[in-house]
Amino acid sequence: MTLGKNIKNKRQDLGLSQSELAKMAKISVSYLSEIENERTNPSLKTLLRIAEALKVNISELVRP
């Protein structure tokens, strides 16, 4: 799996919408969509905020 798919799967496992996760991570919904669809890679700072919002370690999101 890829970073974007890992984020999307974890978000869905938690029952969160893209809008909810984006708000929690303080990013736009469109940017989150770009990340989940592998069109862009987040900065480390953004990845940390996403991981914190999902209550996981970054390592869980970046593993293949």
Side-chain angles (χ1 to χ4, degrees):
M1 257 190 247
T2 58
L3 173 64
K5 287 182 182 180
N6 288 343
I7 291 170
K8 182 176 183 177
N9 288 341
K10 185 62 178 173
R11 174 180 62 76
Q12 291 176 333
D13 288 347
L14 294 174
L16 295 172
S17 67
Q18 281 187 331
S19 179
E20 291 168 325
L21 178 56
K23 185 175 182 179
M24 293 166 66
K26 299 180 178 137
I27 59 174
S28 69
V29 175
S30 60
Y31 185 43
L32 177 58
S33 177
E34 294 284 316
I35 294 167
E36 287 188 351
N37 289 300
E38 300 291 323
R39 292 187 196 114
T40 191
N41 289 312
S43 67
L44 185 56
K45 182 178 178 179
T46 299
L47 184 56
L48 179 60
R49 289 198 311 251
I50 292 170
E52 288 174 348
L54 293 171
K55 295 181 175 40
V56 297
N57 291 320
I58 288 178
S59 62
E60 290 185 52
L61 300 178
V62 298
R63 68 177 167 202

